[in-house]
Every structure is written in structure tokens, then in C-alpha cells.
């Protein structure tokens, strides 16, 4: 693979080792998704990190970066900068994000939907919550 994009962030620890380290606050982030990207990317390839990392990660696989001569890029998206432009395009219909919605629910169904999203059940990817127009 020429290029990998890491967009998951620190939340997805896979091994019991990193789950334990995060549980007892020995690390705030886990490098396991990064390691998967490093393994999958060809020598002299590019790994772009756009996931959100907030602190430290033990067992960081720096050797993969060095031995494969990888170029690692990172940074947060400047969302506030683009928000007015994207909002305008949503309002005038240039952008239609509805193809991403896998489930439409009411506000009352949000706790169950959140659990399904968190546990990756029933094909939940993007959920649209319809809020009632009527005052409670």
C-alpha cells in the first residue's frame, strides 16, 4: 500500500496489554492502529495521521517508521475554518450527505442507537436523530 490514513484515533486498543495500561492511566493513547498502518504501508510510503491523539502511548513502534523510511504526516482538520462554506453547500444542495446515513431514529431511541454504534452492531455507521418539532 502506498499510503495509509489513520482516522480512528486513540480509542481503539486491541490488546489486553494496552487496555490495561489505559485502564490504570499508564497511557492515554494506544499505538496499535498506527502499527497496523505502518505494517500495511510499503517502504518509503506515507502514513497520514488524522485521528485524535491526546497524550502518550507506550510501546510506540518507532522502528517501523525508521526501517521502512516512512513519511508520517499528522494534524487536526481546521473544521471551524471550513464550517461556513460547508454549511452553505449543504443548504443550497450542492452537498448531499444522506448517502452516509445508515439509520434514522427519534431522540427517544438515541441511547439504544449509541450502544449499537459503540458495539458496532446491526450495521450502525452514521445515525440521523430526528428531533420532534413539538415542545415537550
Amino acid at each position: 500500500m502506498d499510503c495509509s490514513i489513520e482516522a480512528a484515533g486513540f480509542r481503539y486498543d486491541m490488546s489486553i496489554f494496552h487496555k490495561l495500561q489505559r485502564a490504570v492511566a499508564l497511557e492515554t493513547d494506544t499505538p496499535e492502529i498506527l502499527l497496523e498502518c505502518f505494517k500495511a504501508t510499503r517502504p518509503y510510503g506515507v502514513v497520514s495521521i488524522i485521528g485524535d491523539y491526546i497524550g502518550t502511548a507506550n510501546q510506540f513502534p518507532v522502528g517501523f517508521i525508521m526501517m521502512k523510511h516512512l513519511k508520517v504526516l499528522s494534524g487536526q482538520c481546521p473544521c471551524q475554518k471550513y464550517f461556513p462554506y460547508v454549511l452553505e453547500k449543504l443548504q443550497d444542495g450542492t452537498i448531499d450527505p444522506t448517502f452516509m446515513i445508515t439509520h434514522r431514529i427519534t431522540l427517544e431511541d438515541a441511547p439504544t442507537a449509541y450502544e449499537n454504534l459503540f458495539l458496532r452492531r446491526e450495521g450502525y455507521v452514521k445515525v440521523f436523530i430526528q428531533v420532534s418539532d413539538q415542545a415537550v
Side-chain angles (χ1 to χ4, degrees):
M1 184 175 313
D2 290 337
C3 177
S4 297
I5 300 173
E6 186 290 317
F10 66 90
R11 294 171 191 83
Y12 299 101
D13 40 23
M14 297 183 292
S15 71
I16 190 69
F17 180 70
H18 285 286
K19 289 177 194 287
L20 183 63
Q21 285 190 89
R22 289 191 62 215
V24 297
L26 290 176
E27 68 179 5
T28 57
D29 305 332
T30 178
E32 290 175 303
I33 298 297
L34 291 170
L35 179 58
E36 295 299 315
C37 290
F38 297 159
K39 286 180 179 179
T41 305
R42 69 168 174 78
Y44 298 92
V46 175
V47 176
S48 182
I49 304 170
I50 61 173
D52 51 346
Y53 289 85
I54 60 170
T56 61
N58 296 323
Q59 316 297 309
F60 185 79
V62 69
F64 276 86
I65 298 168
M66 300 302 293
M67 297 308 291
K68 293 181 85 174
H69 305 275
L70 297 175
K71 180 188 289 187
V72 179
L73 308 170
S74 68
Q76 296 290 321
C77 174
C79 297
Q80 297 301 320
K81 176 181 177 181
Y82 297 108
F83 188 79
Y85 174 78
V86 172
L87 184 59
E88 176 187 323
K89 296 302 178 187
L90 286 167
Q91 290 171 333
D92 72 16
T94 303
I95 299 173
D96 180 14
T98 57
F99 73 94
M100 295 185 290
I101 299 170
T102 58
H103 292 77
R104 293 175 184 270
I105 64 168
T106 64
L107 188 57
E108 293 77 29
D109 296 327
T112 303
Y114 181 81
E115 181 179 350
N116 288 333
L117 275 166
F118 183 76
L119 298 174
R120 297 180 182 89
R121 280 194 224 149
E122 302 174 28
Y124 277 75
V125 179
K126 293 290 180 188
V127 175
F128 180 82
I129 301 175
Q130 179 65 49
V131 181
S132 173
D133 292 343
Q134 299 177 355
V136 177

